[in-house]
Amino acid sequence: MTITFDSKNEIFKLDGFTTSYVMKLFPGGVLSHLYYGNYINDTNLGYLVRFKDRGFSGNPLEARGNRGYSLDTATQEYPGFGVGDYRTAAITVELPDGSTATDMRYKCHNIFKGKHSLAPLPSSSANEDDACTLKITLVDGTSGVEADLFYTVFKDSDVLTRNVVIRNAGNYTVYLSRIMSAALDFHHSDFHLITLNGRWACERQIERRPVHHGISLIESMRGNSSHQYNPFLAFVSPNADEENGEAYGFNLVYSGNFAAFCEVDPISQTRVLMGINPTDFKWCLMSGESFTAPEVVITYSSNGLGQMSRNFHRFYNKHLLRDINKRRPVLINSWEAAYFDFTTDSLLTLAKQASELGIEMLVVDDGWFGERNNDKCALGDWYVNEKKLKGGLSRLANEVNSMGMKLGLWIEPEMISKDSRLFEEHPEWCLQVNNRHMQESRSQLALDLSRQDVCDYLYDVISRVLKSANIEYIKWDINRSLSEVQSQLSEPNRQRETWHRNILGVYGLFERLRQTFPDILFEGCCGGGGRFDPGMMYFAPQHWTSDNTDPIERIKIQMGTSLTYPISAMASHVSSSPNHQTGRCTPLHTRGYVAFTGGFGYEMDLGKLTDEEKEIIKEQIKIYKSHEDLIRNGDFYRIKNPFEGNSAAWCFASAQKDRLFFTYVQILSIPNQPLYRVRISCADENKWYKDTKTGDIYSGLVLKHAGIAIPELLGDFLTYSCEFEEVFPNGIV
Ligand code: GLA
């Protein structure tokens, strides 16, 4: 991990764990991109730069008659707007004279140990000795606006983080109408683009396509990162698969409106930009003020998509998730067990049934507060409904605790029902545009968290609830996209700041509650997985991955999610069969093994279980508990892709690869099955392993190349799982 500046050739070189990232100052101080890939040992890359006169590409002043030098074709790190680069810009600043031209040139740089914080924005962190940061300051000579571009490399991770701080060092107020957090120009377009797209109950489906000339835009304008698109993209070489080929991954640490542009220009260079969505964004920046744009996490792998994912996973587990080591108790959630229909007595019955099976926590989902008997009312009324919960939360917590279990609770602080006491008292607290209808979604409106008074109120009222009983887990939900985004408090020239200020309000509230209640385990949720992004992961170490608990659907959702997010961040539950979302019937074994991929729990009426099912569940909990550390901290390998066939397989491997936990799921039964062999790609070629169930001994080479034979899977047993442990650690067979 080193960062150097070769002043003779004006070349910056950032070496991470096994990668190098190289930039050069072009004439006039244009910061340009030269190389990103496997480690290289020299800075002398100037020979890669070729300028060529291309029609209709103009020349800046410093070209000094060289018609080959144009901003329109230069590979840049932070391209401006309106000054001869016709591709998508990273920054646009509006000046008082109405002009929008922005041209950022090198001013100075600074290299320091460690990693800066972006607070109040979420960001990764590292000890002084584990990271090294380069700050390059660019300046727009006309307005005086400066951009600090930050690049951090890490000792132990093949990851580079970037972010930008804009400073108004000029004398007059300006407006920022586009501030991307990172831009990067590749000199070619021999790429496939991978994105994670979806919809409610069908999040993060993997989509892969060749890049094309023109612009592909992945974005959210929903006020949250969304079920529909995720702030992630990857460029991969066309031959890339799980183990081979190049993969560049980009992930934005932000939970609000985002945009990721992928533009292939006329000479087939590829530009990627990621940051806050410029649509409906305008930030007033007075002289002396600054604006911090969120962090982008970038990784490179020359060993395919699997390595790309593991780079992200390890990095997030180590440098972003603050509660990675907080235990995740096996839980029973009341939602699919009872929906809104519960009382203290019925919850205690559920808790008792659960504790007999080995479940460790009861989570009371939606319906415990106000007059909340359905999803049409009472959001905002955060006081206990004593008609349902006699004796309130404290009695419930005491009784649940006396069974040796913990109590968790669902909240949806950012929302308000029109039919609520809070709305009667404070209609002005909603996001709303004057003289326009306030659109409801799931019969609810959104609170305006850009307002400090709203955030303070929420902090007080939620704190009161959390202090009233021994609550050890919170599921923090949000169940609508935002619309009519306008704040009753802001001045007209600041209204287009509301989207971003709202998400800053969410982050601020979350942080205050985390500080006050450091022992609570927070889980994020957004109608399932609609806000599954690194920004929220900074505050809540795990997220409800999807409202879809059908294990067959979940395999795809979890595999897609695992492209960038660690398994430790996914919450996954066993629900009843037929499934409530799809009506599909699946074996309890399949439901269990699929739900092992993450924070594990149950979400069903346990009173309906047969004795045989209870025994299976007891066994599942034992298996989960004996693997939870491997699941949370181990490496995840996707082995068979559910998007491509009738089966899926994956494996968790310990860091030393001395423990492998393998699962194979057959989706549909097949009569008279062919013989399936599956290669365990993560086996260490130099190790020997014992199958802990059968006692069979395999060499790592055999597991990796010949694979294992999957037994015939029929009826209730469509899942095969096994565990391999290293034997003969001294190499003696
Ligand atoms: C969302 C969540 C569910 C459940 C309901 C309650 O849809 O994703 O798990 O909590 O809200 O209303």
Side-chain angles (χ1 to χ4, degrees), residues 548-584:
N548 194 338
T549 55
D550 176 331
I552 302 305
E553 291 296 310
R554 263 304 182 104
I555 294 173
K556 289 188 185 158
I557 295 168
Q558 291 173 181
M559 286 288 202
T561 305
S562 78
L563 222 49
T564 180
Y565 302 109
I567 307 306
S568 67
M570 297 186 209
S572 196
H573 299 168
V574 174
S575 61
S576 55
S577 176
N579 178 269
H580 290 195
Q581 290 78 41
T582 62
R584 188 188 337 239

Side-chain angles (χ1 to χ4, degrees), residues 384-401:
V384 178
N385 180 340
E386 294 262 355
K387 278 184 246 150
K388 279 181 171 178
L389 298 189
K390 292 207 174 63
L393 288 169
S394 62
R395 179 188 152 209
L396 184 65
N398 291 342
E399 301 219 10
V400 166
N401 289 164

Side-chain angles (χ1 to χ4, degrees), residues 335 365-366 410 442 475 477 479 525 527-528 544 547:
W335 183 239
D365 208 282
D366 198 352
W410 177 97
R442 207 196 190 204
K475 176 177 170 189
D477 206 348
N479 275 302
C525 178
W544 184 222
D547 272 347

Side-chain angles (χ1 to χ4, degrees), residues 209-276:
R209 58 185 188 271
V211 299
H212 293 301
H213 285 106
I215 300 170
S216 301
L217 170 59
I218 302 121
E219 65 167 349
S220 168
M221 278 301 299
R222 293 172 177 268
N224 47 59
S225 47
S226 88
H227 303 82
Q228 287 72 10
Y229 299 99
N230 195 268
F232 160 81
L233 64 81
F235 290 120
V236 301
S237 48
N239 68 338
D241 58 22
E242 281 296 318
E243 290 163 53
N244 308 292
E246 293 191 289
Y248 295 90
F250 298 79
N251 201 189
L252 185 69
V253 187
Y254 189 57
S255 314
N257 293 345
F258 75 89
F261 297 89
C262 157
E263 177 168 8
V264 179
D265 73 14
I267 57 170
S268 298
Q269 304 180 118
T270 306
R271 171 168 292 177
V272 57
L273 300 118
M274 212 175 222
I276 294 177

